[in-house]
């Protein structure tokens, strides 16, 4: 992919993650000359996944973390992402700091492909329960779209991305265009059958729907069940920008890609009421460049896309482009989790499973949907798995000799557990702003984040452990124990909101087509656009919204409306 030889394009895409990749694919395939700008370094498909085939013994610290890493990545060290296996995939906290008014764990990927290389790949459609909820409950503002508006786009992106799963015909979790689903293992099948019996078919344990190929697609091989997706897949078996959307965009000959290009301002023309270009600083040389285009897709990830809007057109709007409603930067959301229950399964000592399946089971939300009314609004689902304990079970015993080796040659006991992921309500007080007193490595002001879970989430969390324990115990699971590992916003790595869609320019940042009300040639299609969070993972919805907005944008260009 060539470096930019011109500074004028039909469209500019900011960011190369899940949303940015889809924007580039759709716009180039529709004939537009597109410039994609990525602030981070390049990672080539296959050859760039330097650790994808390494064994644990090939790492100096067996894949763990060092004191030096903890010092250089103080935020990342708060949870599992910090390890030597894919350290290059995570943004450096010291180079790219931010201010926490309240604790917020911001885990970022500044490289080509962004977090599409590290995501958990859980892929679920929203239902009208989700799109209707704000309006029915009087929370925040109403979504300007419904399931019928986005359903065709779910189908469209699923066929290209490749989503495995099983058809369940659940009204709260619409089925996708599925590849054959991975099978539940025998322990999971047992609990699924018991749950169906115990709850009259109102609760379901199904295979977790994920963007892993169980059949090859053009240019991509099927999953080898290595469960090493987070290191990059040399088979192209899970959806990422590098494996899926970027090759499609490159194939058109219409894409220009520039990495190490930090977009720090949109150039707004007050006469045309449109954005005419972007100002960019080279991350290596710090050289400044300006690029022009007709339309712009902001896909830099939730907080960075909003940061860019806040940095733009401040001579007209002190709060930045899109701030006229007073909602830009507000209504930050995540999924709260890190609690649930687990226990021991008996009766399967002669059973095992094949490979390392890259997804677990999923228990879809059932709360506040079918006539029941909880103390809290919305609900949650569970992600988990059943498995046999590995060699780590013997670490505490520190065994040696032949007996130890014989014991370790046998599979451990069966266990099963699930972690709850709950919806976080949009709240105006959960916000981001620009901290003018602190700058990053490139001299740009950083974000200040002020976010916390509220009473609704706290009430929900009380129920999340209790219900998982009850379901396991009623299914015959032994020695069930609940856990709550604590949670701070951001830990879900599902940040959403801050530039929400809506029906009215007075109360939202974006319209029903993801256009900024104040500059209709600017589209925001990443997590910034979300008006509420639902209980399911959001990335599939980002894909569908991006493809839908790109189609609208190109048609509007043809009609000379942009």
């Amino acid at each position: 992919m060539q470096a930019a030889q011109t500074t004028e394009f039909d469209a500019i895409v900011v960011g190369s993650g899940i949303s940015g990749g889809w924007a580039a694919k759709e716009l180039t395939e529709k004939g537009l000359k597109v410039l994609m700008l990525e602030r981070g370094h390049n990672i080539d498909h296959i050859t760039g996944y330097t650790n994808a085939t390494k064994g644990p013994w090939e790492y100096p610290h067996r894949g763990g973390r060092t004191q030096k890493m903890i010092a250089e990545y103080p935020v990342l060290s708060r949870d599992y992402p910090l390890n030597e296996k894919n350290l290059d995939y995570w943004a450096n906290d010291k180079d790219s700091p931010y201010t926490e008014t309240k604790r917020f764990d911001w885990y970022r990927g500044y490289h080509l492909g962004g977090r599409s290389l590290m995501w958990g790949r859980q892929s679920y459609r929203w239902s009208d329960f989700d799109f209707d909820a704000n309006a029915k409950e009087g929370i925040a503002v109403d979504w300007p779209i419904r399931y019928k508006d986005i359903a065709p786009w779910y189908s469209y992106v699923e066929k290209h991305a490749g989503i495995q799963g099983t058809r369940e015909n659940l009204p709260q979790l619409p089925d996708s265009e599925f590849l054959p689903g991975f099978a539940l293992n025998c322990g999971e099948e047992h609990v699924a059958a018991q749950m169906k019996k115990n709850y009259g078919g109102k609760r379901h344990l199904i295979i977790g729907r994920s963007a892993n190929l169980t059949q090859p697609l053009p240019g991509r091989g099927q999953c080898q069940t290595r469960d090493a997706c987070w290191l990059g897949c040399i088979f192209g078996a899970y959806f990422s920008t590098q494996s899926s959307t970027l090759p499609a965009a490159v194939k058109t000959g219409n894409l220009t890609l520039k990495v190490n290009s930090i977009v720090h301002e949109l150039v707004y023309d007050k006469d045309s009421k449109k954005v005419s270009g972007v100002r960019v600083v080279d991350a290596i040389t710090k050289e400044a460049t300006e690029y022009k285009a007709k339309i712009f897709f902001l896909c830099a990830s939730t907080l960075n896309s909003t940061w860019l809007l806040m940095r733009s057109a401040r001579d007209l709007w002190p709060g930045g482009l899109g701030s006229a409603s007073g909602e830009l930067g507000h209504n930050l959301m995540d999924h709260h989790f890190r609690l649930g229950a687990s226990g021991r399964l008996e009766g399967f000592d002669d059973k095992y499973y094949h490979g390392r399946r890259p997804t677990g089971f999923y228990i879809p939300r059932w709360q506040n949907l079918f006539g029941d009314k909880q103390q809290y609004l919305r609900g949650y689902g569970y992600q988990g798995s059943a498995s046999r304990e590995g060699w780590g079970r013997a670490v505490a015993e520190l065994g040696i000799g032949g007996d130890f080796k014989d014991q370790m040659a046998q599979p451990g006991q069966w266990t099963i557990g699930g972690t709850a992921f709950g919806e976080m309500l949009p709240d105006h007080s959960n916000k981001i702003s620009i901290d003018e007193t602190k700058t990053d490595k490139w001299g740009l002001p950083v974000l200040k984040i002020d976010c916390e879970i509220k009473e609704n989430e706290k009430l929900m969390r009380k129920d999340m452990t209790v219900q998982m324990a009850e379901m396991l115990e009623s299914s015959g699971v032994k020695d069930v124990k609940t856990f709550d590992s604590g949670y701070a916003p951001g830990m879900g790595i599902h940040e959403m909101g801050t530039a929400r869609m809506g029906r009215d320019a007075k109360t939202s940042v974006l319209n029903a087509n993801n256009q900024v009300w104040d500059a209709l040639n600017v589209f925001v299609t990443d997590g910034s656009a979300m008006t509420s969070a639902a209980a399911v993972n959001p990335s599939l919805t980002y894909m569908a919204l991006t493809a839908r907005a790109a189609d609208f944008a190109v048609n509007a260009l043809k009609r000379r409306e942009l």
Side-chain angles (χ1 to χ4, degrees), residues 46-59 85 89 224 226 228-235:
I46 302 177
T47 59
Y49 311 145
T50 54
N51 291 338
T53 59
K54 282 186 178 179
W57 57 89
E58 296 180 80
Y59 296 95
K85 290 186 177 181
Y89 288 3
Q224 303 297 301
R226 301 169 63 240
C229 310
W230 48 288
L231 302 178
C233 183
I234 60 175
F235 307 98

Side-chain angles (χ1 to χ4, degrees), residues 257-465:
L257 169 66
K258 281 186 69 67
V259 295
N260 297 310
S261 299
I262 303 173
V263 182
H264 61 89
E265 186 179 358
L266 302 173
V267 181
Y268 181 78
D269 185 328
K270 61 183 179 181
D271 294 325
S272 66
K273 297 184 179 180
K274 297 178 183 178
V275 166
S276 61
V278 295
R279 294 193 173 109
V280 178
V281 60
D282 188 291
I284 306 299
T285 67
K286 298 187 179 179
E287 179 183 354
T289 310
E290 186 172 316
Y291 297 102
K292 297 183 179 296
K294 300 171 185 174
I295 58 173
F296 301 82
F297 271 69
L298 304 191
C299 305
S301 82
T302 292
L303 303 187
N304 281 318
S305 288
T306 297
W307 174 88
L308 181 54
L309 288 171
M310 288 176 162
R311 291 266 301 156
S312 305
R314 297 179 73 177
D315 55 331
L316 295 177
W317 296 281
L321 181 62
S323 66
S325 65
E327 295 299 332
L328 183 66
H330 294 271
N331 311 294
L332 177 58
M333 300 168 286
D334 186 29
H335 285 130
H336 62 103
F337 72 126
R338 288 169 53 91
L339 74 175
S342 62
R344 181 170 52 85
L345 275 168
E346 293 182 342
F348 300 95
D349 288 348
D350 61 340
K351 301 291 194 301
Y352 206 69
Y353 37 83
H354 175 75
R356 298 182 178 92
R357 192 185 61 196
T359 187
F361 65 68
Y362 188 63
I363 299 175
R365 173 190 167 191
W366 70 88
Q367 314 84 5
N368 294 315
L369 293 177
F370 308 115
D372 69 310
K373 187 170 179 59
Q374 304 296 329
Q375 290 182 298
Y376 51 85
L377 299 175
R378 315 291 167 94
Y380 54 87
Y382 293 97
Q383 297 178 28
S385 64
S387 63
R388 301 199 75 162
E389 292 180 332
W391 62 268
R393 70 186 188 277
V395 171
E397 283 71 32
L398 297 175
I400 60 172
D403 289 344
F404 171 77
K405 292 179 181 178
D406 289 343
Q407 181 186 352
M408 287 302 94
Q410 301 300 315
Q413 69 179 14
W414 277 89
T415 61
I416 186 169
T419 297
F421 286 76
E423 180 167 358
M424 184 174 176
L425 294 179
D427 190 295
H428 186 81
S429 67
N430 284 333
K431 62 184 180 180
I432 62 174
S433 56
I434 291 180
D435 185 347
E436 302 287 0
T437 68
K438 184 188 293 187
T439 57
D440 63 15
K441 179 181 178 180
W442 299 275
L444 300 171
V446 305
L447 280 177
K448 180 188 295 184
I449 306 177
D450 184 355
C451 184
E452 63 183 355
I453 60 171
K454 306 293 187 181
E455 188 61 24
N456 194 71
E457 289 79 49
K458 292 175 182 177
L459 288 170
M460 188 185 295
R461 290 180 74 80
K462 293 179 180 179
D463 196 41
M464 292 159 104
T465 53

Side-chain angles (χ1 to χ4, degrees), residues 192-222:
Q194 290 299 309
M195 280 179 52
K196 185 176 182 180
K197 175 183 174 182
N198 295 339
Y199 295 98
K202 294 181 179 179
R203 301 190 193 184
H204 306 265
L205 189 153
I206 64 176
I207 193 68
R209 300 168 178 177
S210 67
N212 294 89
L213 301 187
T214 52
Q215 292 178 343
L217 289 179
R220 299 170 60 195
Q222 74 183 64

Side-chain angles (χ1 to χ4, degrees), residues 157-264:
V157 299
E158 288 161 353
K159 291 173 183 177
H160 182 84
I163 310 298
Q164 67 75 33
T166 53
R167 300 192 69 82
E168 304 291 342
N169 195 32
L170 302 177
Q172 74 271 41
L173 194 72
D175 292 321
S176 292
E177 305 285 343
F178 289 127
L179 296 173
F182 288 111
L184 296 172
N185 62 41
C186 58
E188 295 161 349
E189 286 180 337
H190 168 76
V191 173
Q194 290 299 309
M195 280 179 52
K196 185 176 182 180
K197 175 183 174 182
N198 295 339
Y199 295 98
K202 294 181 179 179
R203 301 190 193 184
H204 306 265
L205 189 153
I206 64 176
I207 193 68
R209 300 168 178 177
S210 67
N212 294 89
L213 301 187
T214 52
Q215 292 178 343
L217 289 179
R220 299 170 60 195
Q222 74 183 64
C223 179
Q224 303 297 301
T225 59
R226 301 169 63 240
D227 194 24
C229 310
W230 48 288
L231 302 178
C233 183
I234 60 175
F235 307 98
Y238 74 81
F239 172 86
S240 69
T241 295
Q242 276 89 334
S243 71
S244 184
T245 49
L246 187 57
V250 170
K251 185 178 179 180
T252 67
N254 291 329
L255 180 70
T256 298
L257 169 66
K258 281 186 69 67
V259 295
N260 297 310
S261 299
I262 303 173
V263 182
H264 61 89

